[in-house]
Amino acid sequence: MTTHRFVPTVWHNVLGTVPPALTVASGDTVITETLDAAGFDKDGVQRANGPNPMNGPIFVDGARPGDALKVEIVRMTPNRATGWTRAVLAGNVVDPEVVRTLPPRDKVTWSIDRQGGTVQLSDAPAGLENFVLPLEPMIGCFGVAPSLGQAFSTATSAENGGNMDYRGFGPGATIWFPVATEGALFFLGDCHAVQGDGEIVGTGVETSYEVEVRLTVEKARKLVWPRGETADDILSVGNARPLDQALQHATTDMFNWLTSDYGLSPVAASHLMGQVVRYDVGNVYDPAYTMICRIAKKWLPTRKA
């Protein structure tokens, strides 16, 4: 398998059917440097405009509609000593009458200690002088081109992935996306140094990264929604608004996964899910919300061959 070092010269604010910037074989590895959500690179130079400029698309030979693209996040290395967030909660995550009382949503800087693996506010307000967080890299926005020649903004998400902002999509995670167009056309960007569930200030700690991913086509693995796997869990993703619809999508996909790949009857899958499912919240700031339906692998039966 080949390792490609991909240096973009153009970035995209959509995930869509646009000419590929790189072609790889199934199983190849790609190393690339991302911009932050506002388009700034590792040197603090603005190379593109927001929201969430994407590297790509990457054409994966052999990918056809009805297949799945397996994306293994091998490594994420921060390449800048600073990141940024907004200073105040987003208006849509608090009660309406509270919105008018919120301070301005100023942009604030965070310091990233790449050797020590920590993140902290550069100018901390009173009470947070000793607020130091562990560095927890994650990809906020990534996915493949949607069907029918559509182009979806990098501010939102759908069946093809997109701006899901789920903190579990970091090094060691594997994600499968449903392929809807030839070559899959894979995009990635919008990496965070750390982020709480929901991205409720409208950002994570936005920064730039060197990211290493392995891209593999799984033939005739027809998916509706993205799926993922970590060392401990499997997870199904639902992207929609309102939030209950995103939950329904994620729950349905997990139910279908258990009754197909794991051979459980609908009753058995229901019993299992009813007692061991965990729900995680991805993005609840942008046009589509993200819900994760997650099950620990220790509860799963042996997967069907």
Side-chain angles (χ1 to χ4, degrees), residues 227 253-264 303-304:
R227 290 176 177 172
D253 187 75
M254 180 61 75
F255 180 77
N256 291 338
W257 196 357
L258 294 175
T259 56
S260 58
D261 292 24
Y262 291 93
L264 293 179
R303 190 167 178 173
K304 292 170 60 179

Coordinates of all heavy atoms in Angstrom, one line a residue, residues 227 253-264 303-304:
R227 N -21.1 5.0 10.2 CA -20.9 4.1 11.4 C -19.5 4.2 11.9 O -18.6 4.6 11.1 CB -21.2 2.6 11.1 CG -22.7 2.3 10.8 CD -22.9 0.9 10.4 NE -24.3 0.6 10.2 CZ -24.8 -0.5 9.7 NH1 -23.9 -1.5 9.4 NH2 -26.1 -0.7 9.6
D253 N -30.3 2.8 12.8 CA -29.1 2.2 12.1 C -28.4 1.2 13.0 O -28.0 0.1 12.6 CB -28.1 3.3 11.8 CG -26.9 2.8 11.0 OD1 -27.1 2.5 9.8 OD2 -25.9 2.6 11.5
M254 N -28.4 1.5 14.3 CA -27.8 0.5 15.2 C -28.7 -0.8 15.3 O -28.1 -1.9 15.3 CB -27.7 1.1 16.6 CG -27.1 0.1 17.7 SD -25.4 -0.5 17.3 CE -24.5 1.0 17.8
F255 N -30.0 -0.6 15.3 CA -30.9 -1.8 15.3 C -30.6 -2.6 14.0 O -30.5 -3.9 14.1 CB -32.3 -1.3 15.3 CG -33.4 -2.4 15.3 CD1 -33.7 -3.1 16.4 CD2 -34.1 -2.6 14.1 CE1 -34.6 -4.1 16.4 CE2 -35.1 -3.6 14.1 CZ -35.3 -4.3 15.2
N256 N -30.5 -2.0 12.9 CA -30.3 -2.7 11.6 C -28.9 -3.4 11.6 O -28.7 -4.5 11.1 CB -30.4 -1.7 10.4 CG -31.8 -1.2 10.2 OD1 -32.7 -1.9 10.6 ND2 -31.9 -0.1 9.5
W257 N -27.9 -2.7 12.2 CA -26.6 -3.3 12.3 C -26.6 -4.6 13.1 O -26.0 -5.6 12.7 CB -25.6 -2.2 12.9 CG -24.2 -2.5 12.7 CD1 -23.5 -3.5 12.1 CD2 -23.1 -1.6 13.2 NE1 -22.2 -3.3 12.2 CE2 -21.9 -2.1 12.8 CE3 -23.1 -0.3 13.8 CZ2 -20.7 -1.5 13.1 CZ3 -21.9 0.3 14.1 CH2 -20.7 -0.3 13.7
L258 N -27.2 -4.5 14.3 CA -27.3 -5.7 15.1 C -28.0 -6.9 14.5 O -27.7 -8.0 14.7 CB -27.9 -5.3 16.5 CG -27.1 -4.3 17.3 CD1 -27.9 -4.0 18.6 CD2 -25.8 -4.9 17.7
T259 N -29.1 -6.6 13.8 CA -29.9 -7.7 13.2 C -29.4 -8.2 11.9 O -29.8 -9.3 11.4 CB -31.4 -7.2 13.0 OG1 -31.4 -6.0 12.2 CG2 -32.1 -6.9 14.3
S260 N -28.4 -7.5 11.3 CA -27.8 -8.0 10.1 C -26.4 -8.6 10.4 O -26.2 -9.8 10.4 CB -27.7 -6.9 9.0 OG -26.9 -5.8 9.5
D261 N -25.4 -7.7 10.7 CA -24.1 -8.2 10.9 C -23.9 -9.1 12.1 O -23.0 -10.0 12.1 CB -23.1 -7.0 11.0 CG -23.0 -6.3 9.7 OD1 -23.9 -6.3 8.9 OD2 -22.0 -5.6 9.5
Y262 N -24.7 -8.9 13.2 CA -24.5 -9.7 14.4 C -25.6 -10.7 14.5 O -25.6 -11.5 15.5 CB -24.5 -8.7 15.6 CG -23.3 -7.9 15.7 CD1 -23.3 -6.6 15.1 CD2 -22.1 -8.3 16.2 CE1 -22.1 -5.8 15.1 CE2 -21.0 -7.6 16.3 CZ -21.0 -6.3 15.7 OH -19.9 -5.5 15.7
G263 N -26.5 -10.9 13.6 CA -27.4 -12.0 13.6 C -28.5 -12.0 14.7 O -29.1 -13.1 14.9
L264 N -28.7 -10.9 15.4 CA -29.7 -10.9 16.4 C -31.1 -10.7 15.9 O -31.3 -10.1 14.9 CB -29.4 -9.7 17.4 CG -28.1 -9.8 18.2 CD1 -28.0 -8.6 19.1 CD2 -28.1 -11.1 19.1
R303 N -19.6 -11.6 15.8 CA -20.1 -11.1 14.5 C -20.2 -12.2 13.5 O -19.3 -13.1 13.4 CB -19.2 -10.0 14.0 CG -19.7 -9.2 12.8 CD -18.9 -7.9 12.6 NE -19.4 -7.2 11.5 CZ -19.0 -6.0 11.2 NH1 -18.1 -5.4 11.9 NH2 -19.5 -5.4 10.1
K304 N -21.3 -12.1 12.6 CA -21.4 -13.1 11.6 C -20.3 -13.0 10.6 O -19.8 -11.9 10.3 CB -22.8 -12.9 10.8 CG -24.0 -13.2 11.7 CD -25.2 -12.7 11.0 CE -25.5 -13.4 9.7 NZ -26.7 -12.9 9.0

